[in-house]
mmCIF file of all heavy atoms in Angstrom:
data_model
loop_
_atom_site.group_PDB
_atom_site.id
_atom_site.type_symbol
_atom_site.label_atom_id
_atom_site.label_comp_id
_atom_site.label_asym_id
_atom_site.label_seq_id
_atom_site.Cartn_x
_atom_site.Cartn_y
_atom_site.Cartn_z
ATOM 1 N N LEU A 14 2.089 12.730 11.774
ATOM 2 C CA LEU A 14 0.998 12.886 10.819
ATOM 3 C C LEU A 14 1.509 12.917 9.385
ATOM 4 O O LEU A 14 0.904 12.340 8.480
ATOM 5 C CB LEU A 14 0.225 14.172 11.123
ATOM 6 C CG LEU A 14 -0.681 14.139 12.365
ATOM 7 C CD1 LEU A 14 -1.187 15.535 12.674
ATOM 8 C CD2 LEU A 14 -1.835 13.172 12.157
ATOM 9 N N THR A 15 2.628 13.593 9.186
ATOM 10 C CA THR A 15 3.213 13.653 7.843
ATOM 11 C C THR A 15 3.627 12.258 7.369
ATOM 12 O O THR A 15 3.365 11.872 6.219
ATOM 13 C CB THR A 15 4.429 14.589 7.835
ATOM 14 O OG1 THR A 15 4.015 15.909 8.210
ATOM 15 C CG2 THR A 15 5.071 14.635 6.455
ATOM 16 N N LEU A 16 4.276 11.500 8.258
ATOM 17 C CA LEU A 16 4.693 10.143 7.901
ATOM 18 C C LEU A 16 3.485 9.259 7.589
ATOM 19 O O LEU A 16 3.495 8.479 6.632
ATOM 20 C CB LEU A 16 5.515 9.532 9.034
ATOM 21 C CG LEU A 16 6.882 10.153 9.305
ATOM 22 C CD1 LEU A 16 7.508 9.561 10.557
ATOM 23 C CD2 LEU A 16 7.812 9.939 8.112
ATOM 24 N N TYR A 17 2.438 9.381 8.408
ATOM 25 C CA TYR A 17 1.236 8.568 8.199
ATOM 26 C C TYR A 17 0.519 8.974 6.921
ATOM 27 O O TYR A 17 -0.015 8.131 6.190
ATOM 28 C CB TYR A 17 0.303 8.681 9.398
ATOM 29 C CG TYR A 17 0.659 7.743 10.534
ATOM 30 C CD1 TYR A 17 1.982 7.353 10.748
ATOM 31 C CD2 TYR A 17 -0.309 7.240 11.395
ATOM 32 C CE1 TYR A 17 2.321 6.495 11.774
ATOM 33 C CE2 TYR A 17 0.020 6.377 12.433
ATOM 34 C CZ TYR A 17 1.339 6.004 12.615
ATOM 35 O OH TYR A 17 1.679 5.140 13.627
ATOM 36 N N ALA A 18 0.473 10.278 6.618
ATOM 37 C CA ALA A 18 -0.154 10.739 5.384
ATOM 38 C C ALA A 18 0.588 10.191 4.168
ATOM 39 O O ALA A 18 -0.033 9.743 3.188
ATOM 40 C CB ALA A 18 -0.192 12.269 5.348
ATOM 41 N N ASP A 19 1.908 10.208 4.219
ATOM 42 C CA ASP A 19 2.710 9.643 3.120
ATOM 43 C C ASP A 19 2.428 8.148 2.961
ATOM 44 O O ASP A 19 2.307 7.644 1.843
ATOM 45 C CB ASP A 19 4.203 9.861 3.381
ATOM 46 C CG ASP A 19 4.611 11.316 3.213
ATOM 47 O OD1 ASP A 19 3.850 12.082 2.600
ATOM 48 O OD2 ASP A 19 5.703 11.679 3.704
ATOM 49 N N ALA A 20 2.348 7.450 4.098
ATOM 50 C CA ALA A 20 2.092 6.007 4.055
ATOM 51 C C ALA A 20 0.716 5.714 3.474
ATOM 52 O O ALA A 20 0.548 4.778 2.665
ATOM 53 C CB ALA A 20 2.216 5.417 5.458
ATOM 54 N N LEU A 21 -0.286 6.495 3.877
ATOM 55 C CA LEU A 21 -1.636 6.278 3.365
ATOM 56 C C LEU A 21 -1.734 6.661 1.888
ATOM 57 O O LEU A 21 -2.539 6.091 1.140
ATOM 58 C CB LEU A 21 -2.637 7.071 4.202
ATOM 59 C CG LEU A 21 -2.790 6.552 5.641
ATOM 60 C CD1 LEU A 21 -3.601 7.523 6.479
ATOM 61 C CD2 LEU A 21 -3.417 5.165 5.649
ATOM 62 N N ALA A 22 -0.902 7.609 1.454
ATOM 63 C CA ALA A 22 -0.844 7.937 0.029
ATOM 64 C C ALA A 22 -0.342 6.732 -0.764
ATOM 65 O O ALA A 22 -0.841 6.422 -1.852
ATOM 66 C CB ALA A 22 0.061 9.144 -0.195
ATOM 67 N N LYS A 23 0.646 6.041 -0.213
ATOM 68 C CA LYS A 23 1.157 4.830 -0.875
ATOM 69 C C LYS A 23 0.075 3.759 -0.917
ATOM 70 O O LYS A 23 -0.098 3.066 -1.936
ATOM 71 C CB LYS A 23 2.390 4.307 -0.136
ATOM 72 C CG LYS A 23 3.636 5.168 -0.235
ATOM 73 C CD LYS A 23 4.822 4.510 0.465
ATOM 74 C CE LYS A 23 6.107 5.311 0.295
ATOM 75 N NZ LYS A 23 6.085 6.560 1.056
ATOM 76 N N LEU A 24 -0.642 3.602 0.184
ATOM 77 C CA LEU A 24 -1.711 2.608 0.238
ATOM 78 C C LEU A 24 -2.773 2.911 -0.814
ATOM 79 O O LEU A 24 -3.217 2.012 -1.558
ATOM 80 C CB LEU A 24 -2.344 2.605 1.629
ATOM 81 C CG LEU A 24 -3.577 1.702 1.800
ATOM 82 C CD1 LEU A 24 -3.195 0.239 1.633
ATOM 83 C CD2 LEU A 24 -4.216 1.941 3.170
ATOM 84 N N GLN A 25 -3.169 4.158 -0.918
ATOM 85 C CA GLN A 25 -4.178 4.550 -1.897
ATOM 86 C C GLN A 25 -3.672 4.320 -3.311
ATOM 87 O O GLN A 25 -4.418 3.844 -4.173
ATOM 88 C CB GLN A 25 -4.537 6.018 -1.706
ATOM 89 C CG GLN A 25 -5.613 6.528 -2.663
ATOM 90 C CD GLN A 25 -6.085 7.912 -2.293
ATOM 91 O OE1 GLN A 25 -6.747 8.086 -1.272
ATOM 92 N NE2 GLN A 25 -5.715 8.901 -3.099
ATOM 93 N N SER A 26 -2.397 4.615 -3.540
ATOM 94 C CA SER A 26 -1.821 4.404 -4.870
ATOM 95 C C SER A 26 -1.816 2.924 -5.245
ATOM 96 O O SER A 26 -2.172 2.554 -6.376
ATOM 97 C CB SER A 26 -0.391 4.960 -4.900
ATOM 98 O OG SER A 26 0.212 4.721 -6.154
ATOM 99 N N PHE A 27 -1.432 2.072 -4.305
ATOM 100 C CA PHE A 27 -1.422 0.631 -4.565
ATOM 101 C C PHE A 27 -2.836 0.124 -4.863
ATOM 102 O O PHE A 27 -3.052 -0.680 -5.780
ATOM 103 C CB PHE A 27 -0.856 -0.120 -3.357
ATOM 104 C CG PHE A 27 0.640 -0.067 -3.228
ATOM 105 C CD1 PHE A 27 1.233 0.222 -2.003
ATOM 106 C CD2 PHE A 27 1.460 -0.304 -4.320
ATOM 107 C CE1 PHE A 27 2.604 0.276 -1.878
ATOM 108 C CE2 PHE A 27 2.844 -0.262 -4.204
ATOM 109 C CZ PHE A 27 3.422 0.034 -2.970
ATOM 110 N N ALA A 28 -3.796 0.565 -4.059
ATOM 111 C CA ALA A 28 -5.170 0.101 -4.224
ATOM 112 C C ALA A 28 -5.742 0.531 -5.568
ATOM 113 O O ALA A 28 -6.428 -0.250 -6.249
ATOM 114 C CB ALA A 28 -6.043 0.625 -3.082
ATOM 115 N N ARG A 29 -5.440 1.747 -5.972
ATOM 116 C CA ARG A 29 -5.943 2.231 -7.262
ATOM 117 C C ARG A 29 -5.302 1.482 -8.419
ATOM 118 O O ARG A 29 -5.977 1.140 -9.404
ATOM 119 C CB ARG A 29 -5.674 3.723 -7.383
ATOM 120 C CG ARG A 29 -6.634 4.564 -6.546
ATOM 121 C CD ARG A 29 -6.350 6.031 -6.665
ATOM 122 N NE ARG A 29 -7.377 6.813 -5.982
ATOM 123 C CZ ARG A 29 -7.290 8.098 -5.745
ATOM 124 N NH1 ARG A 29 -6.205 8.771 -6.121
ATOM 125 N NH2 ARG A 29 -8.267 8.739 -5.132
ATOM 126 N N ALA A 30 -3.997 1.214 -8.289
ATOM 127 C CA ALA A 30 -3.324 0.462 -9.354
ATOM 128 C C ALA A 30 -3.902 -0.945 -9.477
ATOM 129 O O ALA A 30 -3.970 -1.516 -10.573
ATOM 130 C CB ALA A 30 -1.823 0.399 -9.074
ATOM 131 N N ALA A 31 -4.318 -1.512 -8.343
ATOM 132 C CA ALA A 31 -4.898 -2.854 -8.345
ATOM 133 C C ALA A 31 -6.395 -2.828 -8.619
ATOM 134 O O ALA A 31 -7.024 -3.888 -8.715
ATOM 135 C CB ALA A 31 -4.643 -3.532 -7.003
ATOM 136 N N ARG A 32 -6.951 -1.626 -8.732
ATOM 137 C CA ARG A 32 -8.379 -1.440 -8.982
ATOM 138 C C ARG A 32 -9.226 -2.158 -7.939
ATOM 139 O O ARG A 32 -10.183 -2.875 -8.247
ATOM 140 C CB ARG A 32 -8.749 -1.933 -10.388
ATOM 141 C CG ARG A 32 -8.057 -1.143 -11.499
ATOM 142 C CD ARG A 32 -8.476 -1.589 -12.861
ATOM 143 N NE ARG A 32 -7.820 -0.812 -13.899
ATOM 144 C CZ ARG A 32 -8.026 -1.003 -15.222
ATOM 145 N NH1 ARG A 32 -8.864 -1.949 -15.633
ATOM 146 N NH2 ARG A 32 -7.387 -0.255 -16.104
ATOM 147 N N VAL A 33 -8.828 -1.943 -6.684
ATOM 148 C CA VAL A 33 -9.564 -2.533 -5.572
ATOM 149 C C VAL A 33 -9.920 -1.427 -4.585
ATOM 150 O O VAL A 33 -9.071 -0.573 -4.263
ATOM 151 C CB VAL A 33 -8.731 -3.633 -4.879
ATOM 152 C CG1 VAL A 33 -7.407 -3.087 -4.370
ATOM 153 C CG2 VAL A 33 -9.510 -4.261 -3.737
ATOM 154 N N PRO A 34 -11.170 -1.350 -4.118
ATOM 155 C CA PRO A 34 -11.541 -0.349 -3.116
ATOM 156 C C PRO A 34 -10.741 -0.572 -1.824
ATOM 157 O O PRO A 34 -10.432 -1.710 -1.467
ATOM 158 C CB PRO A 34 -13.035 -0.602 -2.893
ATOM 159 C CG PRO A 34 -13.494 -1.348 -4.101
ATOM 160 C CD PRO A 34 -12.322 -2.179 -4.532
ATOM 161 N N LEU A 35 -10.418 0.497 -1.136
ATOM 162 C CA LEU A 35 -9.640 0.369 0.095
ATOM 163 C C LEU A 35 -10.330 -0.545 1.107
ATOM 164 O O LEU A 35 -9.673 -1.287 1.828
ATOM 165 C CB LEU A 35 -9.418 1.745 0.720
ATOM 166 C CG LEU A 35 -8.337 2.614 0.063
ATOM 167 C CD1 LEU A 35 -8.345 4.015 0.669
ATOM 168 C CD2 LEU A 35 -6.972 1.986 0.224
ATOM 169 N N ARG A 36 -11.669 -0.496 1.139
ATOM 170 C CA ARG A 36 -12.380 -1.329 2.111
ATOM 171 C C ARG A 36 -12.374 -2.811 1.735
ATOM 172 O O ARG A 36 -12.748 -3.649 2.564
ATOM 173 C CB ARG A 36 -13.828 -0.846 2.258
ATOM 174 C CG ARG A 36 -13.953 0.562 2.814
ATOM 175 C CD ARG A 36 -15.419 0.921 3.026
ATOM 176 N NE ARG A 36 -15.587 2.314 3.430
ATOM 177 C CZ ARG A 36 -16.762 2.881 3.723
ATOM 178 N NH1 ARG A 36 -17.864 2.143 3.669
ATOM 179 N NH2 ARG A 36 -16.822 4.151 4.061
ATOM 180 N N ALA A 37 -11.936 -3.132 0.507
ATOM 181 C CA ALA A 37 -11.942 -4.527 0.053
ATOM 182 C C ALA A 37 -10.539 -5.118 -0.038
ATOM 183 O O ALA A 37 -10.355 -6.234 -0.523
ATOM 184 C CB ALA A 37 -12.639 -4.626 -1.305
ATOM 185 N N VAL A 38 -9.529 -4.383 0.435
ATOM 186 C CA VAL A 38 -8.146 -4.858 0.377
ATOM 187 C C VAL A 38 -7.997 -6.129 1.216
ATOM 188 O O VAL A 38 -8.570 -6.238 2.307
ATOM 189 C CB VAL A 38 -7.182 -3.769 0.875
ATOM 190 C CG1 VAL A 38 -5.779 -4.324 1.104
ATOM 191 C CG2 VAL A 38 -7.132 -2.620 -0.127
ATOM 192 N N GLU A 39 -7.219 -7.088 0.701
ATOM 193 C CA GLU A 39 -6.990 -8.354 1.396
ATOM 194 C C GLU A 39 -5.531 -8.467 1.832
ATOM 195 O O GLU A 39 -4.659 -7.766 1.325
ATOM 196 C CB GLU A 39 -7.369 -9.533 0.491
ATOM 197 C CG GLU A 39 -8.839 -9.532 0.096
ATOM 198 C CD GLU A 39 -9.183 -10.703 -0.812
ATOM 199 O OE1 GLU A 39 -8.240 -11.412 -1.257
ATOM 200 O OE2 GLU A 39 -10.386 -10.899 -1.078
ATOM 201 N N ILE A 40 -5.284 -9.399 2.772
ATOM 202 C CA ILE A 40 -3.952 -9.531 3.354
ATOM 203 C C ILE A 40 -2.902 -9.873 2.302
ATOM 204 O O ILE A 40 -1.765 -9.400 2.365
ATOM 205 C CB ILE A 40 -3.957 -10.579 4.494
ATOM 206 C CG1 ILE A 40 -2.604 -10.562 5.217
ATOM 207 C CG2 ILE A 40 -4.316 -11.965 3.974
ATOM 208 C CD1 ILE A 40 -2.603 -11.387 6.495
ATOM 209 N N ALA A 41 -3.262 -10.693 1.303
ATOM 210 C CA ALA A 41 -2.285 -11.065 0.275
ATOM 211 C C ALA A 41 -1.818 -9.838 -0.494
ATOM 212 O O ALA A 41 -0.647 -9.733 -0.877
ATOM 213 C CB ALA A 41 -2.900 -12.090 -0.679
ATOM 214 N N GLN A 42 -2.724 -8.901 -0.706
ATOM 215 C CA GLN A 42 -2.357 -7.674 -1.415
ATOM 216 C C GLN A 42 -1.443 -6.808 -0.551
ATOM 217 O O GLN A 42 -0.461 -6.241 -1.048
ATOM 218 C CB GLN A 42 -3.631 -6.917 -1.799
ATOM 219 C CG GLN A 42 -4.458 -7.644 -2.846
ATOM 220 C CD GLN A 42 -5.847 -7.059 -2.995
ATOM 221 O OE1 GLN A 42 -6.488 -6.717 -2.005
ATOM 222 N NE2 GLN A 42 -6.307 -6.965 -4.239
ATOM 223 N N VAL A 43 -1.744 -6.732 0.735
ATOM 224 C CA VAL A 43 -0.895 -5.956 1.634
ATOM 225 C C VAL A 43 0.510 -6.532 1.660
ATOM 226 O O VAL A 43 1.506 -5.790 1.638
ATOM 227 C CB VAL A 43 -1.500 -5.929 3.052
ATOM 228 C CG1 VAL A 43 -0.529 -5.259 4.035
ATOM 229 C CG2 VAL A 43 -2.832 -5.195 3.056
ATOM 230 N N ARG A 44 0.618 -7.857 1.696
ATOM 231 C CA ARG A 44 1.945 -8.493 1.689
ATOM 232 C C ARG A 44 2.703 -8.140 0.411
ATOM 233 O O ARG A 44 3.910 -7.854 0.449
ATOM 234 C CB ARG A 44 1.806 -10.009 1.823
ATOM 235 C CG ARG A 44 1.301 -10.473 3.182
ATOM 236 C CD ARG A 44 1.374 -11.994 3.290
ATOM 237 N NE ARG A 44 0.730 -12.487 4.495
ATOM 238 C CZ ARG A 44 1.283 -12.489 5.700
ATOM 239 N NH1 ARG A 44 2.506 -12.007 5.862
ATOM 240 N NH2 ARG A 44 0.621 -12.972 6.746
ATOM 241 N N ARG A 45 2.016 -8.173 -0.723
ATOM 242 C CA ARG A 45 2.680 -7.840 -1.994
ATOM 243 C C ARG A 45 3.134 -6.391 -2.002
ATOM 244 O O ARG A 45 4.225 -6.070 -2.472
ATOM 245 C CB ARG A 45 1.729 -8.096 -3.162
ATOM 246 C CG ARG A 45 1.564 -9.557 -3.529
ATOM 247 C CD ARG A 45 1.021 -9.714 -4.942
ATOM 248 N NE ARG A 45 -0.303 -9.114 -5.069
ATOM 249 C CZ ARG A 45 -1.446 -9.748 -4.830
ATOM 250 N NH1 ARG A 45 -1.418 -11.024 -4.424
ATOM 251 N NH2 ARG A 45 -2.599 -9.134 -4.981
ATOM 252 N N TRP A 46 2.299 -5.509 -1.473
ATOM 253 C CA TRP A 46 2.657 -4.088 -1.476
ATOM 254 C C TRP A 46 3.826 -3.814 -0.541
ATOM 255 O O TRP A 46 4.699 -2.998 -0.854
ATOM 256 C CB TRP A 46 1.433 -3.252 -1.089
ATOM 257 C CG TRP A 46 0.301 -3.407 -2.069
ATOM 258 C CD1 TRP A 46 0.385 -3.869 -3.351
ATOM 259 C CD2 TRP A 46 -1.080 -3.131 -1.832
ATOM 260 N NE1 TRP A 46 -0.858 -3.889 -3.939
ATOM 261 C CE2 TRP A 46 -1.779 -3.443 -3.029
ATOM 262 C CE3 TRP A 46 -1.814 -2.658 -0.742
ATOM 263 C CZ2 TRP A 46 -3.160 -3.284 -3.153
ATOM 264 C CZ3 TRP A 46 -3.183 -2.487 -0.865
ATOM 265 C CH2 TRP A 46 -3.853 -2.801 -2.059
ATOM 266 N N ALA A 47 3.852 -4.483 0.595
ATOM 267 C CA ALA A 47 4.988 -4.325 1.506
ATOM 268 C C ALA A 47 6.262 -4.840 0.853
ATOM 269 O O ALA A 47 7.338 -4.233 0.976
ATOM 270 C CB ALA A 47 4.721 -5.067 2.806
ATOM 271 N N ALA A 48 6.144 -5.973 0.136
ATOM 272 C CA ALA A 48 7.304 -6.521 -0.574
ATOM 273 C C ALA A 48 7.756 -5.563 -1.672
ATOM 274 O O ALA A 48 8.968 -5.424 -1.929
ATOM 275 C CB ALA A 48 6.953 -7.887 -1.166
ATOM 276 N N HIS A 49 6.810 -4.899 -2.314
ATOM 277 C CA HIS A 49 7.156 -3.935 -3.360
ATOM 278 C C HIS A 49 7.924 -2.754 -2.770
ATOM 279 O O HIS A 49 8.904 -2.278 -3.368
ATOM 280 C CB HIS A 49 5.875 -3.445 -4.047
ATOM 281 C CG HIS A 49 6.124 -2.504 -5.184
ATOM 282 N ND1 HIS A 49 6.668 -2.912 -6.386
ATOM 283 C CD2 HIS A 49 5.926 -1.149 -5.296
ATOM 284 C CE1 HIS A 49 6.783 -1.858 -7.198
ATOM 285 N NE2 HIS A 49 6.344 -0.788 -6.548
ATOM 286 N N LEU A 50 7.505 -2.275 -1.597
ATOM 287 C CA LEU A 50 8.230 -1.189 -0.941
ATOM 288 C C LEU A 50 9.664 -1.613 -0.625
ATOM 289 O O LEU A 50 10.607 -0.832 -0.785
ATOM 290 C CB LEU A 50 7.512 -0.777 0.353
ATOM 291 C CG LEU A 50 6.133 -0.126 0.198
ATOM 292 C CD1 LEU A 50 5.532 0.141 1.577
ATOM 293 C CD2 LEU A 50 6.225 1.168 -0.607
ATOM 294 N N HIS A 51 9.795 -2.864 -0.179
ATOM 295 C CA HIS A 51 11.134 -3.391 0.127
ATOM 296 C C HIS A 51 11.985 -3.461 -1.140
ATOM 297 O O HIS A 51 13.173 -3.119 -1.125
ATOM 298 C CB HIS A 51 11.007 -4.760 0.771
ATOM 299 C CG HIS A 51 12.315 -5.345 1.224
ATOM 300 N ND1 HIS A 51 13.150 -4.715 2.116
ATOM 301 C CD2 HIS A 51 12.941 -6.514 0.898
ATOM 302 C CE1 HIS A 51 14.229 -5.456 2.323
ATOM 303 N NE2 HIS A 51 14.121 -6.546 1.597
ATOM 304 N N ALA A 52 11.371 -3.917 -2.260
ATOM 305 C CA ALA A 52 12.104 -4.025 -3.524
ATOM 306 C C ALA A 52 12.517 -2.658 -4.046
ATOM 307 O O ALA A 52 13.528 -2.527 -4.748
ATOM 308 C CB ALA A 52 11.239 -4.740 -4.560
ATOM 309 N N GLN A 53 11.757 -1.625 -3.679
ATOM 310 C CA GLN A 53 12.101 -0.267 -4.094
ATOM 311 C C GLN A 53 13.253 0.312 -3.283
ATOM 312 O O GLN A 53 13.735 1.403 -3.587
ATOM 313 C CB GLN A 53 10.875 0.648 -3.949
ATOM 314 C CG GLN A 53 9.800 0.403 -4.995
ATOM 315 C CD GLN A 53 8.636 1.368 -4.840
ATOM 316 O OE1 GLN A 53 8.255 1.730 -3.723
ATOM 317 N NE2 GLN A 53 8.072 1.806 -5.953
ATOM 318 N N GLY A 54 13.681 -0.429 -2.260
ATOM 319 C CA GLY A 54 14.800 0.031 -1.450
ATOM 320 C C GLY A 54 14.405 0.777 -0.199
ATOM 321 O O GLY A 54 15.268 1.356 0.480
ATOM 322 N N LEU A 55 13.104 0.766 0.139
ATOM 323 C CA LEU A 55 12.674 1.438 1.358
ATOM 324 C C LEU A 55 13.225 0.688 2.569
ATOM 325 O O LEU A 55 13.189 -0.541 2.623
ATOM 326 C CB LEU A 55 11.142 1.483 1.413
ATOM 327 C CG LEU A 55 10.527 2.558 2.320
ATOM 328 C CD1 LEU A 55 10.871 3.950 1.805
ATOM 329 C CD2 LEU A 55 9.007 2.393 2.377
ATOM 330 N N ALA A 56 13.737 1.410 3.528
ATOM 331 C CA ALA A 56 14.349 0.808 4.713
ATOM 332 C C ALA A 56 13.301 0.054 5.526
ATOM 333 O O ALA A 56 12.123 0.432 5.547
ATOM 334 C CB ALA A 56 14.994 1.878 5.578
ATOM 335 N N PRO A 57 13.709 -1.025 6.204
ATOM 336 C CA PRO A 57 12.761 -1.780 7.037
ATOM 337 C C PRO A 57 12.012 -0.909 8.040
ATOM 338 O O PRO A 57 10.817 -1.111 8.269
ATOM 339 C CB PRO A 57 13.665 -2.804 7.732
ATOM 340 C CG PRO A 57 14.787 -3.021 6.781
ATOM 341 C CD PRO A 57 15.032 -1.674 6.167
#
């Protein structure tokens, strides 16, 4: 639960920065956010 809460916090942060409602998120945005996590050095 702690890991999932942290992950959802990241999702909410990305969505707010992109000014997009969570229910309107698209796959291209998810790909960019995953790539951003990778660029930050987060382990696979």
Side-chain angles (χ1 to χ4, degrees):
L14 286 170
T15 299
L16 292 173
Y17 276 30
D19 288 343
L21 292 170
K23 291 183 176 71
L24 174 65
Q25 181 171 291
S26 178
F27 283 133
R29 284 180 173 169
R32 297 183 179 180
V33 58
L35 283 173
R36 296 184 186 182
V38 168
E39 298 179 351
I40 188 170
Q42 292 167 319
V43 173
R44 292 188 188 280
R45 283 200 298 271
W46 298 341
H49 183 71
L50 293 177
H51 185 58
Q53 287 182 324
L55 201 64

